[in-house]
Amino acid sequence: TKDQDRILREAAGGRKNILVGGGTGSGKTTFVNALLREVARTDDRVYMVEDNPELQCAALNKIQVLVQPPTYTWQRAILDAMRFRPDRIIVGEVRDGAALEMLKAWNTGHPGGIATLHANDTASMLDRLCQLIEEVVAIAPRSLVAQAVDICVHIRRDHHHPSGRSLSGIDRIAGLDGAGRWVLEPVT
């Protein structure tokens, strides 16, 4: 909708951390490329990490890093970001325990990050992030996830939609409730 478009443009331009999720072929990368057009309108220094060069950002001040595990890992690339003074850290796809390093970086003076991952809906995106973090620590710091991720956008393949995909959820992360569950606020 026009309201969703406005909210997402403001979030990308306003340095909110955005997590984009969906299944294979749902359009996550295409969607992130649209968000990166908003990022390119800023003067921010953009540090992008991916394994295949699919992200397209026209920012004048950007660094694009390709990982090649096991020689150069996602975790190493995200840790190396700090040496390049990034304003924003963009991760092509969060796949392993490097999720923890990404969240720590987003939460320590580098807001405005964007990342993708595979998940079934917005709540499961946050759960999936925790599962990835638990590849390197015993218990994922849910409070860090709730602090670092501002917005979850979920995309699904949709054969009834002219583009073949649709947004199935956009939620703001409002923290955790008393039982440690995600508090999500749908964006209309």
Side-chain angles (χ1 to χ4, degrees), residues 35-127:
L35 293 175
L36 288 173
R37 283 195 288 277
E38 294 302 314
V39 171
R41 293 183 178 152
T42 70
D43 290 330
D44 291 344
R45 184 173 175 85
V46 179
Y47 184 92
M48 300 187 319
V49 180
E50 56 187 328
D51 60 354
N52 290 314
E54 298 175 319
L55 296 178
Q56 301 169 13
C57 182
L60 296 177
N61 192 352
K62 75 174 177 196
I63 299 164
Q64 198 161 8
V65 176
L66 294 177
V67 298
Q68 295 179 338
T71 306
Y72 191 62
T73 66
W74 290 91
Q75 183 178 18
R76 181 79 258 160
I78 293 169
L79 286 170
D80 286 348
M82 299 310 158
R83 296 179 183 201
F84 289 92
R85 281 187 314 99
D87 294 310
R88 297 173 184 252
I89 299 171
I90 312 300
V91 179
E93 184 173 330
V94 183
R95 292 189 188 167
D96 60 18
L100 180 58
E101 298 306 326
M102 178 191 75
L103 290 177
K104 290 190 301 189
W106 281 4
N107 209 34
T108 55
H110 304 91
I114 302 171
T116 70
L117 57 71
H118 290 230
N120 293 330
D121 55 44
T122 54
S124 65
M125 288 168 59
L126 299 171
D127 291 335

Coordinates of all heavy atoms in Angstrom, one line a residue, residues 35-127:
L35 N 15.1 -1.0 -1.2 CA 15.4 -0.3 0.0 C 16.8 0.4 -0.2 O 17.0 1.5 0.3 CB 15.5 -1.2 1.2 CG 14.1 -1.8 1.6 CD1 14.4 -2.8 2.8 CD2 13.2 -0.7 2.1
L36 N 17.7 -0.2 -0.9 CA 19.1 0.4 -1.0 C 19.0 1.6 -1.9 O 19.9 2.5 -1.8 CB 20.0 -0.7 -1.6 CG 20.5 -1.8 -0.6 CD1 21.3 -2.9 -1.3 CD2 21.2 -1.2 0.5
R37 N 18.0 1.7 -2.7 CA 17.8 3.0 -3.5 C 17.6 4.2 -2.5 O 18.1 5.3 -2.7 CB 16.7 2.9 -4.5 CG 17.2 2.1 -5.7 CD 16.2 2.2 -6.9 NE 14.9 1.6 -6.8 CZ 14.7 0.3 -7.0 NH1 15.7 -0.5 -7.4 NH2 13.5 -0.2 -6.8
E38 N 16.9 3.9 -1.5 CA 16.6 4.9 -0.4 C 17.9 5.2 0.3 O 18.2 6.4 0.6 CB 15.5 4.5 0.5 CG 14.2 4.4 -0.1 CD 13.7 5.7 -0.7 OE1 13.8 6.8 -0.1 OE2 13.2 5.6 -1.9
V39 N 18.7 4.2 0.6 CA 19.9 4.3 1.3 C 20.9 5.2 0.5 O 21.6 6.0 1.0 CB 20.5 3.0 1.7 CG1 22.0 3.1 2.2 CG2 19.7 2.2 2.7
A40 N 20.9 4.9 -0.8 CA 21.8 5.7 -1.7 C 21.6 7.2 -1.7 O 22.4 7.9 -2.1 CB 21.7 5.1 -3.1
R41 N 20.4 7.6 -1.3 CA 20.1 9.0 -1.3 C 20.7 9.7 -0.1 O 20.6 10.9 0.0 CB 18.6 9.2 -1.3 CG 17.9 8.7 -2.5 CD 16.4 9.0 -2.6 NE 15.9 8.6 -3.8 CZ 14.7 8.1 -4.0 NH1 13.9 8.1 -3.1 NH2 14.3 7.8 -5.2
T42 N 21.2 8.9 0.8 CA 21.9 9.5 2.0 C 23.4 9.7 1.7 O 23.9 9.3 0.7 CB 21.7 8.6 3.3 OG1 22.5 7.4 3.1 CG2 20.2 8.2 3.5
D43 N 24.1 10.3 2.7 CA 25.5 10.4 2.5 C 26.2 9.3 3.3 O 27.4 9.4 3.6 CB 26.0 11.8 3.1 CG 25.6 12.9 2.1 OD1 25.4 12.7 0.9 OD2 25.3 14.1 2.6
D44 N 25.5 8.3 3.7 CA 26.1 7.3 4.6 C 27.1 6.4 3.9 O 27.0 6.1 2.7 CB 24.9 6.4 5.1 CG 24.0 7.1 6.1 OD1 24.4 8.1 6.6 OD2 22.9 6.5 6.3
R45 N 28.1 6.0 4.6 CA 29.1 5.0 4.1 C 28.4 3.6 4.3 O 28.1 3.2 5.5 CB 30.3 5.1 4.9 CG 31.5 4.3 4.5 CD 32.7 4.6 5.2 NE 33.9 3.8 5.0 CZ 34.7 4.0 3.9 NH1 34.5 5.0 3.1 NH2 35.7 3.1 3.8
V46 N 28.3 2.9 3.3 CA 27.6 1.6 3.2 C 28.6 0.5 3.1 O 29.4 0.5 2.2 CB 26.6 1.6 2.1 CG1 25.8 0.2 2.1 CG2 25.6 2.7 2.2
Y47 N 28.5 -0.5 4.0 CA 29.4 -1.7 3.9 C 28.4 -2.9 3.7 O 27.6 -3.2 4.5 CB 30.1 -1.9 5.3 CG 31.1 -3.0 5.3 CD1 32.4 -2.8 5.0 CD2 30.7 -4.3 5.8 CE1 33.3 -3.8 5.1 CE2 31.6 -5.3 5.9 CZ 32.9 -5.1 5.5 OH 33.8 -6.1 5.6
M48 N 28.6 -3.6 2.5 CA 27.7 -4.7 2.1 C 28.5 -6.0 2.1 O 29.6 -6.0 1.6 CB 27.2 -4.4 0.8 CG 26.3 -3.1 0.7 SD 25.4 -2.8 -0.8 CE 26.5 -3.3 -2.1
V49 N 27.9 -7.0 2.7 CA 28.5 -8.3 2.8 C 27.6 -9.3 2.1 O 26.4 -9.3 2.4 CB 28.7 -8.8 4.3 CG1 29.4 -10.2 4.3 CG2 29.6 -7.8 5.0
E50 N 28.1 -10.1 1.2 CA 27.3 -11.1 0.5 C 28.2 -12.2 -0.1 O 29.4 -12.0 -0.1 CB 26.4 -10.5 -0.5 CG 27.1 -9.7 -1.6 CD 26.1 -8.9 -2.5 OE1 25.0 -9.4 -2.8 OE2 26.5 -7.9 -3.0
D51 N 27.6 -13.3 -0.5 CA 28.4 -14.4 -1.1 C 28.3 -14.4 -2.6 O 29.1 -14.9 -3.3 CB 28.0 -15.7 -0.5 CG 26.6 -16.1 -0.7 OD1 25.8 -15.3 -1.2 OD2 26.2 -17.3 -0.3
N52 N 27.2 -13.8 -3.1 CA 27.0 -13.6 -4.6 C 26.7 -12.2 -4.8 O 25.9 -11.6 -4.1 CB 25.9 -14.5 -5.1 CG 26.2 -16.0 -5.1 OD1 27.3 -16.4 -5.5 ND2 25.2 -16.7 -4.6
P53 N 27.4 -11.5 -5.7 CA 27.2 -10.1 -5.9 C 25.8 -9.8 -6.6 O 25.6 -9.7 -7.8 CB 28.3 -9.7 -6.9 CG 28.7 -10.9 -7.6 CD 28.4 -12.1 -6.6
E54 N 24.8 -9.7 -5.7 CA 23.4 -9.5 -6.1 C 22.9 -8.1 -5.7 O 22.0 -7.6 -6.3 CB 22.5 -10.6 -5.6 CG 22.8 -11.9 -6.1 CD 21.9 -13.0 -5.5 OE1 21.7 -12.9 -4.3 OE2 21.5 -13.9 -6.2
L55 N 23.4 -7.6 -4.6 CA 22.9 -6.3 -4.0 C 23.4 -5.2 -4.9 O 24.6 -5.2 -5.4 CB 23.4 -6.1 -2.6 CG 22.9 -7.1 -1.6 CD1 23.5 -6.9 -0.2 CD2 21.4 -7.1 -1.5
Q56 N 22.5 -4.3 -5.1 CA 22.9 -3.1 -6.0 C 22.6 -1.8 -5.2 O 21.4 -1.5 -4.9 CB 22.0 -3.2 -7.3 CG 22.2 -4.4 -8.1 CD 21.2 -4.6 -9.2 OE1 20.5 -3.7 -9.5 NE2 21.2 -5.8 -9.7
C57 N 23.7 -1.1 -4.9 CA 23.5 0.1 -4.2 C 24.3 1.2 -4.9 O 25.5 1.0 -5.2 CB 24.0 -0.1 -2.8 SG 23.8 1.4 -1.8
A58 N 23.7 2.3 -5.2 CA 24.3 3.4 -6.0 C 25.0 4.4 -5.0 O 25.3 5.5 -5.4 CB 23.3 4.1 -6.9
A59 N 25.1 4.1 -3.7 CA 25.7 5.0 -2.8 C 27.1 5.4 -3.3 O 27.9 4.5 -3.8 CB 25.8 4.4 -1.4
L60 N 27.5 6.6 -3.1 CA 28.8 7.1 -3.6 C 29.9 6.5 -2.7 O 31.0 6.4 -3.1 CB 28.9 8.6 -3.6 CG 27.9 9.2 -4.6 CD1 28.0 10.8 -4.5 CD2 28.2 8.8 -6.0
N61 N 29.6 6.3 -1.4 CA 30.6 5.8 -0.5 C 30.2 4.4 0.0 O 29.4 4.3 1.0 CB 30.6 6.8 0.7 CG 31.8 6.6 1.6 OD1 32.6 5.6 1.4 ND2 32.0 7.5 2.5
K62 N 30.7 3.4 -0.7 CA 30.3 2.0 -0.3 C 31.4 1.1 -0.5 O 32.4 1.3 -1.3 CB 29.1 1.5 -1.1 CG 29.5 1.2 -2.6 CD 28.3 0.6 -3.3 CE 28.8 0.3 -4.7 NZ 27.7 0.1 -5.6
I63 N 31.4 0.0 0.3 CA 32.3 -1.1 0.2 C 31.5 -2.3 0.0 O 30.6 -2.6 0.8 CB 33.2 -1.1 1.4 CG1 34.0 0.2 1.6 CG2 34.1 -2.3 1.4 CD1 34.6 0.4 3.0
Q64 N 31.8 -3.1 -0.9 CA 31.1 -4.4 -1.2 C 32.1 -5.5 -1.0 O 33.1 -5.6 -1.7 CB 30.6 -4.4 -2.6 CG 29.5 -5.4 -2.8 CD 28.6 -5.0 -4.1 OE1 28.9 -4.1 -4.8 NE2 27.6 -5.8 -4.2
V65 N 31.8 -6.4 0.0 CA 32.7 -7.5 0.3 C 32.0 -8.8 0.0 O 30.8 -9.0 0.3 CB 33.0 -7.4 1.9 CG1 33.8 -8.6 2.3 CG2 33.7 -6.1 2.2
L66 N 32.7 -9.7 -0.6 CA 32.2 -11.0 -1.0 C 32.9 -12.1 0.0 O 34.1 -12.1 0.1 CB 32.5 -11.4 -2.4 CG 31.8 -10.6 -3.5 CD1 32.2 -11.0 -4.9 CD2 30.3 -10.7 -3.3
V67 N 32.1 -12.9 0.6 CA 32.6 -13.9 1.5 C 32.9 -15.2 0.6 O 32.2 -15.4 -0.4 CB 31.7 -14.2 2.7 CG1 31.5 -13.0 3.6 CG2 30.4 -14.7 2.2
Q68 N 33.9 -16.0 1.1 CA 34.2 -17.2 0.4 C 34.6 -18.2 1.5 O 35.8 -18.5 1.7 CB 35.3 -17.0 -0.6 CG 34.9 -16.1 -1.7 CD 36.1 -15.9 -2.7 OE1 37.2 -16.1 -2.4 NE2 35.7 -15.6 -3.9
P69 N 33.6 -18.7 2.2 CA 33.9 -19.7 3.3 C 34.6 -20.9 2.7 O 34.3 -21.3 1.6 CB 32.5 -20.1 3.9 CG 31.6 -18.9 3.5 CD 32.1 -18.4 2.2
P70 N 35.5 -21.6 3.4 CA 35.9 -21.2 4.7 C 37.1 -20.2 4.7 O 37.5 -19.8 5.8 CB 36.4 -22.6 5.2 CG 37.0 -23.3 4.0 CD 36.1 -22.8 2.9
T71 N 37.6 -19.8 3.6 CA 38.7 -18.9 3.5 C 38.3 -17.5 4.2 O 39.1 -17.0 5.0 CB 39.2 -18.7 2.1 OG1 39.4 -19.9 1.5 CG2 40.4 -17.8 2.0
Y72 N 37.2 -17.0 3.8 CA 36.8 -15.7 4.3 C 35.3 -15.8 4.7 O 34.5 -15.9 3.8 CB 37.0 -14.6 3.3 CG 36.8 -13.2 3.8 CD1 37.7 -12.7 4.8 CD2 35.9 -12.3 3.4 CE1 37.5 -11.4 5.4 CE2 35.7 -11.0 3.9 CZ 36.5 -10.6 4.9 OH 36.4 -9.3 5.4
T73 N 35.0 -15.9 6.0 CA 33.7 -16.2 6.4 C 32.8 -14.9 6.6 O 33.3 -13.8 6.7 CB 33.8 -16.9 7.8 OG1 34.3 -16.0 8.8 CG2 34.6 -18.2 7.7
W74 N 31.5 -15.2 6.8 CA 30.5 -14.1 7.1 C 30.9 -13.4 8.4 O 30.9 -12.2 8.4 CB 29.1 -14.7 7.2 CG 28.5 -15.2 6.0 CD1 28.6 -16.5 5.5 CD2 27.8 -14.5 5.0 NE1 28.0 -16.6 4.3 CE2 27.4 -15.4 4.0 CE3 27.4 -13.2 5.0 CZ2 26.7 -15.0 2.9 CZ3 26.6 -12.8 3.9 CH2 26.3 -13.7 2.8
Q75 N 31.3 -14.2 9.4 CA 31.6 -13.6 10.7 C 32.8 -12.7 10.5 O 32.9 -11.6 11.0 CB 31.9 -14.7 11.7 CG 32.2 -14.1 13.1 CD 32.4 -15.2 14.1 OE1 32.7 -16.4 13.8 NE2 32.4 -14.8 15.3
R76 N 33.9 -13.1 9.8 CA 35.1 -12.3 9.6 C 34.7 -11.1 8.8 O 35.2 -10.0 9.2 CB 36.1 -13.2 8.8 CG 37.4 -12.5 8.6 CD 38.3 -12.5 9.9 NE 38.2 -11.2 10.5 CZ 38.6 -11.0 11.8 NH1 38.9 -12.0 12.6 NH2 38.5 -9.8 12.3
A77 N 33.9 -11.2 7.8 CA 33.6 -10.0 7.0 C 32.8 -9.0 7.8 O 33.0 -7.8 7.7 CB 32.7 -10.4 5.8
I78 N 31.9 -9.4 8.7 CA 31.2 -8.5 9.5 C 32.1 -7.9 10.6 O 32.0 -6.7 10.9 CB 29.9 -9.2 10.2 CG1 29.0 -9.5 9.0 CG2 29.3 -8.3 11.2 CD1 27.8 -10.4 9.4
L79 N 33.0 -8.7 11.2 CA 33.9 -8.1 12.1 C 34.8 -7.1 11.5 O 35.2 -6.1 12.0 CB 34.8 -9.2 12.8 CG 34.1 -10.1 13.8 CD1 34.9 -11.3 14.1 CD2 33.7 -9.3 15.1
D80 N 35.3 -7.4 10.2 CA 36.1 -6.5 9.5 C 35.4 -5.1 9.2 O 36.1 -4.1 8.9 CB 36.6 -7.1 8.2 CG 37.7 -8.2 8.4 OD1 38.2 -8.2 9.6 OD2 38.0 -8.9 7.5
A81 N 34.1 -5.2 9.2 CA 33.4 -3.9 8.8 C 33.8 -2.8 9.7 O 33.9 -1.6 9.3 CB 31.9 -4.2 9.0
M82 N 34.1 -3.1 11.0 CA 34.4 -2.0 11.9 C 35.7 -1.2 11.5 O 35.9 -0.1 11.9 CB 34.6 -2.6 13.4 CG 33.4 -3.2 13.9 SD 32.0 -2.1 13.7 CE 30.7 -3.3 13.8
R83 N 36.6 -1.9 10.8 CA 37.8 -1.2 10.3 C 37.5 -0.2 9.2 O 38.4 0.6 8.9 CB 38.8 -2.2 9.9 CG 39.2 -3.1 11.0 CD 40.2 -4.2 10.5 NE 40.5 -5.1 11.6 CZ 41.6 -5.8 11.6 NH1 42.5 -5.7 10.6 NH2 41.8 -6.6 12.6
F84 N 36.4 -0.3 8.6 CA 36.1 0.6 7.5 C 35.1 1.8 7.8 O 34.6 2.4 6.9 CB 35.4 -0.2 6.4 CG 36.4 -1.2 5.7 CD1 36.6 -2.5 6.1 CD2 37.2 -0.7 4.6 CE1 37.5 -3.3 5.6 CE2 38.1 -1.6 4.0 CZ 38.3 -2.9 4.5
R85 N 34.9 2.0 9.1 CA 34.0 3.1 9.6 C 32.7 3.1 8.9 O 32.2 4.2 8.4 CB 34.7 4.5 9.3 CG 35.7 5.0 10.2 CD 36.1 6.4 9.8 NE 36.3 6.7 8.4 CZ 35.4 7.2 7.6 NH1 34.3 7.6 8.0 NH2 35.7 7.4 6.3
P86 N 31.9 2.0 8.8 CA 30.6 2.1 8.1 C 29.6 2.8 8.9 O 29.6 2.9 10.2 CB 30.2 0.6 8.1 CG 30.8 0.0 9.3 CD 32.1 0.8 9.5
D87 N 28.7 3.5 8.2 CA 27.5 4.1 8.8 C 26.4 3.0 8.9 O 25.6 2.9 9.8 CB 27.0 5.3 8.1 CG 27.9 6.4 8.1 OD1 28.4 6.8 9.2 OD2 28.3 7.0 7.0
R88 N 26.4 2.1 7.8 CA 25.4 1.1 7.7 C 26.1 -0.2 7.3 O 27.0 -0.2 6.5 CB 24.3 1.4 6.6 CG 23.5 2.6 6.9 CD 22.7 2.9 5.7 NE 21.9 4.1 5.8 CZ 20.6 4.2 6.0 NH1 19.9 3.0 6.0 NH2 20.0 5.3 6.0
I89 N 25.6 -1.3 7.8 CA 26.1 -2.6 7.5 C 24.9 -3.4 6.9 O 23.9 -3.6 7.5 CB 26.7 -3.4 8.7 CG1 27.8 -2.6 9.2 CG2 27.1 -4.8 8.3 CD1 28.4 -3.1 10.6
I90 N 25.1 -3.8 5.6 CA 24.1 -4.6 4.9 C 24.6 -6.0 4.7 O 25.7 -6.2 4.3 CB 23.8 -3.9 3.5 CG1 23.7 -2.4 3.6 CG2 22.7 -4.6 2.8 CD1 22.5 -1.9 4.4
V91 N 23.7 -7.0 5.1 CA 24.1 -8.4 4.9 C 23.2 -9.1 4.0 O 22.0 -9.1 4.2 CB 24.1 -9.1 6.3 CG1 24.5 -10.6 6.2 CG2 25.1 -8.4 7.3
G92 N 23.8 -9.6 2.9 CA 23.0 -10.2 1.8 C 22.1 -11.3 2.3 O 20.9 -11.4 1.9
E93 N 22.6 -12.2 3.1 CA 21.8 -13.3 3.7 C 22.4 -13.8 5.0 O 23.6 -14.2 4.9 CB 21.6 -14.4 2.7 CG 20.6 -15.5 3.3 CD 20.3 -16.5 2.3 OE1 20.3 -16.2 1.1 OE2 20.0 -17.7 2.7
V94 N 21.7 -13.7 6.0 CA 22.2 -14.2 7.3 C 22.0 -15.7 7.3 O 20.8 -16.2 7.2 CB 21.4 -13.6 8.5 CG1 22.0 -14.0 9.8 CG2 21.5 -12.1 8.4
R95 N 23.1 -16.5 7.5 CA 23.0 -17.9 7.3 C 23.5 -18.7 8.5 O 23.3 -19.9 8.7 CB 23.7 -18.4 6.1 CG 23.1 -18.0 4.8 CD 23.8 -18.7 3.7 NE 23.2 -18.1 2.5 CZ 23.8 -18.3 1.3 NH1 24.8 -19.1 1.2 NH2 23.3 -17.8 0.2
D96 N 24.4 -18.0 9.4 CA 25.0 -18.8 10.4 C 25.2 -17.9 11.7 O 24.5 -16.9 11.8 CB 26.4 -19.3 9.9 CG 27.3 -18.3 9.5 OD1 27.2 -17.1 9.8 OD2 28.3 -18.6 8.8
G97 N 26.1 -18.3 12.5 CA 26.3 -17.6 13.8 C 26.8 -16.2 13.6 O 26.9 -15.4 14.6
A98 N 27.1 -15.8 12.4 CA 27.5 -14.4 12.1 C 26.4 -13.4 12.4 O 26.6 -12.2 12.6 CB 28.0 -14.2 10.7
A99 N 25.2 -14.0 12.6 CA 24.0 -13.2 13.0 C 24.3 -12.4 14.3 O 23.9 -11.2 14.4 CB 22.8 -14.1 13.2
L100 N 25.0 -13.0 15.2 CA 25.3 -12.3 16.5 C 26.2 -11.1 16.2 O 26.0 -10.1 16.8 CB 26.0 -13.3 17.4 CG 26.3 -12.7 18.8 CD1 25.1 -12.2 19.5 CD2 27.0 -13.8 19.7
E101 N 27.3 -11.3 15.4 CA 28.2 -10.2 15.1 C 27.4 -9.1 14.4 O 27.6 -7.9 14.7 CB 29.3 -10.7 14.3 CG 30.2 -11.7 14.9 CD 30.7 -11.2 16.3 OE1 31.0 -10.0 16.5 OE2 30.9 -12.1 17.2
M102 N 26.5 -9.4 13.5 CA 25.7 -8.4 12.8 C 24.9 -7.6 13.8 O 24.9 -6.4 13.7 CB 24.8 -9.1 11.7 CG 23.9 -8.1 11.0 SD 22.7 -8.9 10.0 CE 21.5 -9.4 11.3
L103 N 24.2 -8.3 14.7 CA 23.3 -7.6 15.6 C 24.1 -6.7 16.6 O 23.7 -5.6 16.9 CB 22.5 -8.6 16.4 CG 21.4 -9.3 15.7 CD1 20.7 -10.3 16.6 CD2 20.4 -8.3 15.1
K104 N 25.3 -7.2 17.0 CA 26.1 -6.4 17.9 C 26.6 -5.1 17.1 O 26.6 -4.0 17.7 CB 27.3 -7.2 18.4 CG 26.9 -8.3 19.4 CD 28.1 -8.9 20.1 CE 29.1 -9.6 19.2 NZ 30.1 -10.4 19.9
A105 N 27.0 -5.3 15.8 CA 27.4 -4.1 15.0 C 26.3 -3.1 14.8 O 26.4 -1.9 15.0 CB 27.9 -4.6 13.7
W106 N 25.1 -3.7 14.5 CA 23.9 -2.8 14.3 C 23.6 -2.0 15.6 O 23.2 -0.9 15.6 CB 22.7 -3.6 13.9 CG 22.6 -4.0 12.5 CD1 23.5 -3.9 11.5 CD2 21.5 -4.7 11.9 NE1 23.1 -4.4 10.4 CE2 21.8 -4.9 10.6 CE3 20.3 -5.2 12.4 CZ2 21.0 -5.6 9.7 CZ3 19.4 -5.8 11.5 CH2 19.8 -6.0 10.2
N107 N 23.9 -2.6 16.7 CA 23.5 -2.1 18.0 C 24.6 -1.2 18.7 O 24.4 -0.8 19.8 CB 23.0 -3.2 19.0 CG 22.0 -2.7 20.0 OD1 21.2 -1.9 19.7 ND2 22.0 -3.3 21.2
T108 N 25.7 -1.0 18.0 CA 26.8 -0.3 18.6 C 27.2 0.9 17.7 O 28.4 1.0 17.3 CB 28.0 -1.2 18.9 OG1 28.4 -1.9 17.7 CG2 27.7 -2.2 20.0
G109 N 26.3 1.7 17.3 CA 26.6 2.9 16.5 C 26.5 2.7 15.0 O 27.0 3.6 14.3
H110 N 25.9 1.7 14.5 CA 25.8 1.5 13.1 C 24.4 1.2 12.7 O 24.1 0.1 12.1 CB 26.7 0.3 12.6 CG 28.1 0.6 13.0 ND1 28.7 0.1 14.2 CD2 29.1 1.3 12.4 CE1 29.9 0.5 14.3 NE2 30.2 1.2 13.2
P111 N 23.4 2.0 13.1 CA 22.0 1.8 12.7 C 21.8 1.9 11.2 O 22.6 2.5 10.5 CB 21.3 2.8 13.5 CG 22.2 4.0 13.6 CD 23.6 3.3 13.7
G112 N 20.7 1.4 10.7 CA 20.4 1.5 9.3 C 20.7 0.3 8.5 O 20.8 0.3 7.3
G113 N 21.0 -0.8 9.2 CA 21.4 -2.1 8.5 C 20.2 -2.7 7.9 O 19.0 -2.5 8.3
I114 N 20.5 -3.5 6.9 CA 19.4 -4.3 6.2 C 20.0 -5.7 6.1 O 21.2 -5.9 5.7 CB 19.1 -3.7 4.9 CG1 18.6 -2.3 5.0 CG2 18.0 -4.6 4.2 CD1 18.4 -1.6 3.7
A115 N 19.2 -6.7 6.3 CA 19.7 -8.1 6.1 C 18.5 -9.0 5.7 O 17.3 -8.6 5.9 CB 20.3 -8.7 7.4
T116 N 18.8 -10.1 5.0 CA 17.8 -11.1 4.6 C 18.0 -12.4 5.3 O 19.1 -12.7 5.7 CB 17.7 -11.3 3.1 OG1 18.9 -12.0 2.7 CG2 17.6 -10.0 2.4
L117 N 16.9 -13.1 5.5 CA 17.0 -14.5 6.0 C 15.8 -15.3 5.5 O 14.8 -14.7 5.1 CB 17.3 -14.6 7.5 CG 16.3 -14.0 8.5 CD1 15.0 -14.7 8.5 CD2 17.0 -14.0 9.8
H118 N 15.9 -16.6 5.6 CA 14.8 -17.5 5.2 C 13.9 -17.7 6.5 O 14.4 -18.1 7.5 CB 15.3 -18.8 4.7 CG 15.9 -18.6 3.4 ND1 15.6 -19.4 2.3 CD2 16.9 -17.8 2.9 CE1 16.3 -19.1 1.2 NE2 17.1 -18.1 1.6
A119 N 12.6 -17.5 6.3 CA 11.6 -17.7 7.4 C 10.2 -17.7 6.9 O 10.0 -17.2 5.8 CB 11.8 -16.7 8.5
N120 N 9.3 -18.2 7.7 CA 7.9 -18.3 7.2 C 7.0 -17.1 7.5 O 6.0 -16.9 6.9 CB 7.2 -19.5 7.9 CG 7.9 -20.8 7.4 OD1 8.3 -20.9 6.2 ND2 7.9 -21.8 8.2
D121 N 7.3 -16.3 8.5 CA 6.6 -15.0 8.8 C 7.4 -14.1 9.7 O 8.6 -14.5 10.0 CB 5.2 -15.4 9.5 CG 5.4 -16.2 10.7 OD1 6.3 -16.0 11.6 OD2 4.6 -17.2 10.9
T122 N 6.9 -13.0 10.1 CA 7.7 -12.0 10.8 C 8.2 -12.5 12.1 O 9.4 -12.4 12.5 CB 7.0 -10.7 10.9 OG1 5.7 -10.9 11.5 CG2 6.9 -10.0 9.6
A123 N 7.3 -13.2 12.9 CA 7.7 -13.7 14.2 C 8.8 -14.8 14.0 O 9.8 -14.8 14.8 CB 6.5 -14.2 15.0
S124 N 8.6 -15.7 13.1 CA 9.6 -16.7 12.9 C 10.9 -16.2 12.3 O 12.0 -16.9 12.5 CB 9.0 -17.9 12.0 OG 8.8 -17.4 10.7
M125 N 10.9 -15.0 11.7 CA 12.2 -14.4 11.3 C 13.0 -14.1 12.5 O 14.2 -14.4 12.5 CB 11.9 -13.1 10.6 CG 11.3 -13.3 9.2 SD 10.7 -11.7 8.5 CE 12.1 -10.7 8.5
L126 N 12.4 -13.6 13.6 CA 13.2 -13.3 14.8 C 13.6 -14.6 15.5 O 14.8 -14.7 16.0 CB 12.4 -12.5 15.8 CG 12.0 -11.1 15.2 CD1 11.0 -10.4 16.1 CD2 13.2 -10.2 15.0
D127 N 12.8 -15.6 15.5 CA 13.1 -16.9 16.0 C 14.3 -17.5 15.2 O 15.2 -18.1 15.8 CB 11.9 -17.9 16.0 CG 10.9 -17.5 17.0 OD1 11.2 -16.8 18.0 OD2 9.7 -17.9 16.8

